[in-house]
Amino acid sequence: MNKSVVAAQLYTLRDFTKTAADIRTTFERVRNIGYKAVQISALGKIETVDLREIADKNELEIIASHISYDLIVNEVQKVIDDHKTLGCRHVAIGGLPTEYRNRDGFLRFARESSEAVKPIVEAGLTFSYHNHSFELEKFGDRTGLDILVEESDPDSFSFEIDTYWIQHGGGNPVSCLKRLKDRMHIVHLKDMAMDGTQQLFAEVGEGNLEWEPILSACRNANIEWYIVEQDVCQRDPFDSLQISLENLKKMGLD
Protein backbone atom coordinates (compact mmCIF):
# COMPACT_ATOMS: atom_id res chain seq x y z
CA MET A 1 0.00 0.00 0.00
CA ASN A 2 1.16 3.54 -0.74
CA LYS A 3 0.34 5.04 2.66
CA SER A 4 0.01 3.92 6.22
CA VAL A 5 -3.49 2.76 7.11
CA VAL A 6 -2.86 1.59 10.69
CA ALA A 7 -3.30 3.90 13.68
CA ALA A 8 -2.87 3.50 17.43
CA GLN A 9 -5.83 4.25 19.72
CA LEU A 10 -4.32 6.26 22.55
CA TYR A 11 -6.91 4.97 25.01
CA THR A 12 -4.56 1.97 25.18
CA LEU A 13 -1.96 4.35 26.66
CA ARG A 14 -4.30 6.39 28.87
CA ASP A 15 -2.02 5.97 31.89
CA PHE A 16 0.72 7.69 29.90
CA THR A 17 -1.22 10.71 28.60
CA LYS A 18 -2.34 12.45 31.78
CA THR A 19 -0.31 15.65 31.32
CA ALA A 20 1.00 17.65 28.39
CA ALA A 21 4.50 16.38 29.19
CA ASP A 22 3.22 12.80 29.22
CA ILE A 23 1.53 13.33 25.87
CA ARG A 24 4.73 14.68 24.34
CA THR A 25 6.74 11.66 25.52
CA THR A 26 4.03 9.19 24.52
CA PHE A 27 3.70 10.59 21.00
CA GLU A 28 7.45 10.21 20.55
CA ARG A 29 7.35 6.60 21.76
CA VAL A 30 4.38 5.73 19.55
CA ARG A 31 6.17 7.12 16.51
CA ASN A 32 9.33 5.19 17.40
CA ILE A 33 7.29 1.96 17.55
CA GLY A 34 6.40 2.57 13.92
CA TYR A 35 2.92 4.09 13.95
CA LYS A 36 2.32 7.07 11.71
CA ALA A 37 -1.19 7.90 12.94
CA VAL A 38 -3.19 7.99 16.17
CA GLN A 39 -6.72 8.25 17.44
CA ILE A 40 -6.95 10.55 20.43
CA SER A 41 -8.92 9.50 23.49
CA ALA A 42 -8.69 9.96 27.27
CA LEU A 43 -5.99 12.62 27.02
CA GLY A 44 -5.18 14.90 29.90
CA LYS A 45 -5.78 18.63 29.58
CA ILE A 46 -3.92 20.17 26.68
CA GLU A 47 -4.58 23.03 24.29
CA THR A 48 -5.58 21.95 20.79
CA VAL A 49 -2.81 23.95 19.12
CA ASP A 50 -0.23 22.40 21.45
CA LEU A 51 -1.50 18.91 20.66
CA ARG A 52 -1.19 19.62 16.93
CA GLU A 53 2.35 20.89 17.47
CA ILE A 54 3.33 17.70 19.31
CA ALA A 55 1.78 15.54 16.60
CA ASP A 56 3.50 17.45 13.80
CA LYS A 57 6.87 17.34 15.55
CA ASN A 58 6.61 13.56 15.78
CA GLU A 59 5.21 13.16 12.26
CA LEU A 60 2.05 11.58 13.63
CA GLU A 61 -1.28 12.24 11.95
CA ILE A 62 -4.29 12.58 14.24
CA ILE A 63 -6.89 10.77 12.20
CA ALA A 64 -9.79 10.26 14.61
CA SER A 65 -11.05 11.11 18.06
CA HIS A 66 -13.26 9.80 20.81
CA ILE A 67 -15.14 12.64 22.45
CA SER A 68 -18.23 12.89 24.63
CA TYR A 69 -21.67 13.06 23.08
CA ASP A 70 -22.47 15.99 25.40
CA LEU A 71 -19.72 17.99 23.73
CA ILE A 72 -21.33 17.39 20.33
CA VAL A 73 -24.76 18.42 21.62
CA ASN A 74 -23.62 21.50 23.51
CA GLU A 75 -20.50 22.73 21.70
CA VAL A 76 -20.66 21.41 18.17
CA GLN A 77 -18.86 24.39 16.62
CA LYS A 78 -15.97 23.93 19.03
CA VAL A 79 -15.84 20.25 18.06
CA ILE A 80 -15.62 21.24 14.41
CA ASP A 81 -13.02 23.96 15.00
CA ASP A 82 -10.82 21.73 17.18
CA HIS A 83 -10.86 18.87 14.69
CA LYS A 84 -9.99 21.19 11.83
CA THR A 85 -7.10 22.58 13.88
CA LEU A 86 -5.88 19.03 14.43
CA GLY A 87 -6.35 18.09 10.78
CA CYS A 88 -8.58 15.28 12.08
CA ARG A 89 -11.46 14.22 9.84
CA HIS A 90 -13.17 11.50 11.88
CA VAL A 91 -15.16 12.44 14.97
CA ALA A 92 -16.37 9.52 17.07
CA ILE A 93 -17.92 8.78 20.43
CA GLY A 94 -16.71 5.84 22.50
CA GLY A 95 -20.10 4.47 23.44
CA LEU A 96 -23.75 5.11 24.18
CA PRO A 97 -24.40 7.46 27.13
CA THR A 98 -25.80 5.48 30.06
CA GLU A 99 -29.21 7.15 30.03
CA TYR A 100 -29.93 5.76 26.54
CA ARG A 101 -29.21 2.11 27.32
CA ASN A 102 -32.69 0.65 26.94
CA ARG A 103 -34.99 0.00 23.99
CA ASP A 104 -36.57 3.46 23.92
CA GLY A 105 -33.16 5.01 24.54
CA PHE A 106 -31.61 3.33 21.52
CA LEU A 107 -34.46 4.62 19.37
CA ARG A 108 -34.17 8.11 20.82
CA PHE A 109 -30.40 8.24 20.45
CA ALA A 110 -30.46 7.04 16.83
CA ARG A 111 -32.81 9.84 15.86
CA GLU A 112 -31.48 12.63 18.09
CA SER A 113 -27.82 12.03 17.30
CA SER A 114 -28.50 11.87 13.55
CA GLU A 115 -29.63 15.49 13.83
CA ALA A 116 -27.02 16.58 16.36
CA VAL A 117 -24.09 15.50 14.19
CA LYS A 118 -25.31 17.03 10.93
CA PRO A 119 -23.21 20.20 11.37
CA ILE A 120 -20.13 17.98 11.75
CA VAL A 121 -20.85 16.19 8.48
CA GLU A 122 -21.77 19.42 6.70
CA ALA A 123 -18.35 20.79 7.75
CA GLY A 124 -16.64 17.99 5.83
CA LEU A 125 -15.97 15.73 8.82
CA THR A 126 -17.51 12.36 9.67
CA PHE A 127 -19.28 11.06 12.76
CA SER A 128 -18.89 7.44 13.92
CA TYR A 129 -20.37 5.42 16.75
CA HIS A 130 -18.06 2.94 18.52
CA ASN A 131 -19.76 -0.18 19.83
CA HIS A 132 -19.25 -2.38 22.86
CA SER A 133 -21.16 -5.62 23.45
CA PHE A 134 -24.23 -4.29 25.26
CA GLU A 135 -25.60 -3.12 21.90
CA LEU A 136 -26.19 -6.78 21.06
CA GLU A 137 -28.82 -7.13 23.77
CA LYS A 138 -32.14 -8.00 22.14
CA PHE A 139 -35.29 -5.96 22.54
CA GLY A 140 -37.97 -8.10 20.94
CA ASP A 141 -36.68 -9.13 17.53
CA ARG A 142 -34.02 -6.42 17.27
CA THR A 143 -30.74 -5.80 19.04
CA GLY A 144 -29.70 -2.37 20.19
CA LEU A 145 -27.25 -2.32 17.29
CA ASP A 146 -30.06 -3.17 14.86
CA ILE A 147 -31.99 -0.19 16.17
CA LEU A 148 -29.03 2.14 15.76
CA VAL A 149 -28.45 0.92 12.21
CA GLU A 150 -32.08 1.01 11.12
CA GLU A 151 -33.29 4.15 12.89
CA SER A 152 -30.32 6.49 12.32
CA ASP A 153 -29.67 8.61 9.24
CA PRO A 154 -27.08 6.87 7.02
CA ASP A 155 -26.04 10.23 5.60
CA SER A 156 -24.79 11.47 8.97
CA PHE A 157 -24.41 8.45 11.26
CA SER A 158 -21.50 6.05 10.60
CA PHE A 159 -20.07 3.19 12.64
CA GLU A 160 -16.66 2.40 14.11
CA ILE A 161 -17.03 -1.35 14.58
CA ASP A 162 -14.89 -2.90 17.31
CA THR A 163 -14.06 -6.50 16.44
CA TYR A 164 -13.51 -7.68 20.03
CA TRP A 165 -16.77 -6.29 21.37
CA ILE A 166 -18.86 -7.71 18.53
CA GLN A 167 -17.36 -11.14 19.26
CA HIS A 168 -17.83 -10.59 23.01
CA GLY A 169 -21.54 -9.95 22.48
CA GLY A 170 -22.02 -13.18 20.55
CA GLY A 171 -21.95 -11.50 17.15
CA ASN A 172 -19.81 -12.18 14.10
CA PRO A 173 -17.35 -9.38 13.26
CA VAL A 174 -17.25 -10.38 9.59
CA SER A 175 -21.03 -10.35 9.21
CA CYS A 176 -21.21 -7.01 10.98
CA LEU A 177 -18.52 -5.47 8.78
CA LYS A 178 -20.25 -6.73 5.66
CA ARG A 179 -23.59 -5.36 6.81
CA LEU A 180 -22.19 -1.90 7.51
CA LYS A 181 -19.68 -1.69 4.66
CA ASP A 182 -21.31 1.45 3.25
CA ARG A 183 -21.42 3.20 6.62
CA MET A 184 -17.85 2.87 7.87
CA HIS A 185 -14.64 4.88 7.54
CA ILE A 186 -12.67 3.55 10.50
CA VAL A 187 -12.54 0.25 12.39
CA HIS A 188 -11.16 -0.92 15.73
CA LEU A 189 -8.99 -4.02 15.54
CA LYS A 190 -8.83 -5.89 18.82
CA ASP A 191 -8.28 -9.58 19.52
CA MET A 192 -9.71 -11.94 22.12
CA ALA A 193 -7.83 -14.66 24.00
CA MET A 194 -9.00 -17.07 26.69
CA ASP A 195 -7.66 -17.81 30.17
CA GLY A 196 -9.75 -20.79 31.17
CA THR A 197 -13.27 -19.44 30.83
CA GLN A 198 -12.20 -15.78 31.11
CA GLN A 199 -12.12 -13.64 27.99
CA LEU A 200 -9.04 -11.44 27.70
CA PHE A 201 -8.09 -8.54 25.46
CA ALA A 202 -5.17 -9.58 23.28
CA GLU A 203 -2.82 -8.10 20.72
CA VAL A 204 -4.05 -8.41 17.14
CA GLY A 205 -3.01 -11.84 15.88
CA GLU A 206 -2.33 -13.24 19.35
CA GLY A 207 -5.89 -14.32 20.12
CA ASN A 208 -8.66 -16.32 18.47
CA LEU A 209 -10.34 -13.91 16.06
CA GLU A 210 -10.14 -14.93 12.40
CA TRP A 211 -8.19 -12.07 10.89
CA GLU A 212 -8.07 -13.08 7.24
CA PRO A 213 -11.85 -12.79 6.70
CA ILE A 214 -12.05 -9.78 9.03
CA LEU A 215 -9.44 -7.82 7.06
CA SER A 216 -10.99 -8.94 3.78
CA ALA A 217 -14.33 -7.54 4.91
CA CYS A 218 -12.58 -4.30 5.92
CA ARG A 219 -10.98 -3.99 2.50
CA ASN A 220 -14.34 -4.58 0.82
CA ALA A 221 -15.76 -1.80 3.00
CA ASN A 222 -13.00 0.57 1.83
CA ILE A 223 -11.93 1.24 5.42
CA GLU A 224 -9.66 4.29 5.57
CA TRP A 225 -7.99 3.59 8.92
CA TYR A 226 -7.44 0.38 10.85
CA ILE A 227 -7.14 1.44 14.48
CA VAL A 228 -5.40 -0.79 17.02
CA GLU A 229 -6.85 -0.66 20.53
CA GLN A 230 -6.40 -2.83 23.60
CA ASP A 231 -8.53 -1.89 26.60
CA VAL A 232 -6.45 -3.95 29.04
CA CYS A 233 -2.96 -5.24 28.29
CA GLN A 234 -1.35 -8.29 29.84
CA ARG A 235 2.09 -6.68 29.33
CA ASP A 236 3.50 -3.18 28.83
CA PRO A 237 0.92 -1.33 26.66
CA PHE A 238 3.63 0.03 24.36
CA ASP A 239 4.83 -3.53 23.77
CA SER A 240 1.26 -4.61 23.05
CA LEU A 241 0.85 -1.88 20.44
CA GLN A 242 4.12 -2.90 18.83
CA ILE A 243 3.14 -6.59 18.68
CA SER A 244 -0.18 -5.71 17.06
CA LEU A 245 1.51 -3.49 14.48
CA GLU A 246 4.12 -6.12 13.61
CA ASN A 247 1.42 -8.78 13.22
CA LEU A 248 -0.69 -6.53 11.03
CA LYS A 249 2.29 -5.86 8.80
CA LYS A 250 2.66 -9.61 8.35
CA MET A 251 -1.00 -9.67 7.35
CA GLY A 252 -0.40 -7.06 4.65
CA LEU A 253 -1.25 -3.81 6.45
CA ASP A 254 1.17 -0.99 7.21
Side-chain angles (χ1 to χ4, degrees):
M1 296 186 179
N2 295 325
K3 67 182 287 291
S4 174
V5 294
V6 180
Q9 220 301 19
L10 294 184
Y11 182 77
T12 310
L13 303 173
R14 59 195 177 278
D15 291 336
F16 303 90
T17 58
K18 294 181 178 180
T19 68
D22 290 341
I23 294 167
R24 190 175 298 275
T25 300
T26 293
F27 271 52
E28 182 178 355
R29 293 183 68 182
V30 168
R31 185 66 185 90
N32 287 339
I33 286 171
Y35 286 93
K36 298 177 183 177
V38 295
Q39 179 178 32
I40 54 173
S41 178
L43 300 184
K45 187 174 181 180
I46 187 170
E47 295 295 328
T48 304
V49 292
D50 294 335
L51 182 58
R52 177 64 187 266
E53 181 270 326
I54 292 170
D56 288 348
K57 181 178 179 181
N58 289 284
E59 299 181 322
L60 278 171
E61 186 177 357
I62 299 174
I63 53 90
S65 66
H66 270 185
I67 63 172
S68 73
Y69 180 58
D70 283 346
L71 194 60
I72 292 173
V73 171
N74 298 314
E75 298 185 68
V76 69
Q77 190 57 51
K78 176 174 169 42
V79 169
I80 293 167
D81 292 344
D82 284 350
H83 281 73
K84 294 209 170 213
T85 296
L86 294 171
C88 176
R89 180 167 173 252
H90 300 297
V91 182
I93 63 170
L96 192 69
T98 305
E99 62 269 25
Y100 292 98
R101 295 185 187 185
N102 53 63
R103 179 189 176 279
D104 290 342
F106 275 106
L107 283 164
R108 187 159 50 91
F109 181 81
R111 295 165 183 170
E112 289 179 2
S113 62
S114 292
E115 290 300 315
V117 303
K118 279 185 177 178
I120 292 171
V121 177
E122 289 167 356
L125 308 176
T126 76
F127 167 79
S128 296
Y129 176 89
H130 170 271
N131 68 278
H132 291 84
S133 56
F134 65 81
E135 293 91 346
L136 276 77
E137 178 182 354
K138 278 199 167 181
F139 303 94
D141 61 353
R142 293 200 294 180
T143 66
L145 184 61
D146 290 333
I147 294 170
L148 292 179
V149 172
E150 295 165 8
E151 303 294 338
S152 61
D153 182 352
D155 291 331
S156 59
F157 192 114
S158 299
F159 290 86
E160 179 186 47
I161 290 302
D162 184 300
T163 56
Y164 174 98
W165 286 118
I166 293 294
Q167 187 81 34
H168 184 273
N172 184 322
V174 175
S175 298
C176 189
L177 290 164
K178 287 180 177 179
R179 178 187 185 187
L180 295 171
K181 68 182 184 67
D182 296 323
R183 296 182 65 177
M184 294 184 62
H185 310 279
I186 53 181
V187 66
H188 269 198
L189 303 185
K190 189 184 303 177
D191 214 335
M192 179 186 290
M194 297 300 297
D195 180 9
T197 60
Q198 182 182 5
Q199 296 166 318
L200 300 176
F201 297 99
E203 295 78 12
V204 176
E206 300 297 311
N208 296 317
L209 268 64
E210 298 181 2
W211 289 103
E212 184 176 347
I214 288 173
L215 295 181
S216 177
C218 289
R219 285 189 290 270
N220 289 335
N222 294 313
I223 293 296
E224 294 176 32
W225 290 99
Y226 298 71
I227 303 170
V228 175
E229 181 184 38
Q230 194 167 336
D231 299 38
V232 178
C233 300
Q234 312 307 315
R235 50 171 61 87
D236 183 286
F238 290 95
D239 291 341
S240 290
L241 284 178
Q242 184 169 8
I243 291 167
S244 289
L245 180 60
E246 290 173 351
N247 286 343
L248 284 169
K249 287 181 177 180
K250 294 173 184 175
M251 298 175 195
L253 292 181
D254 194 359

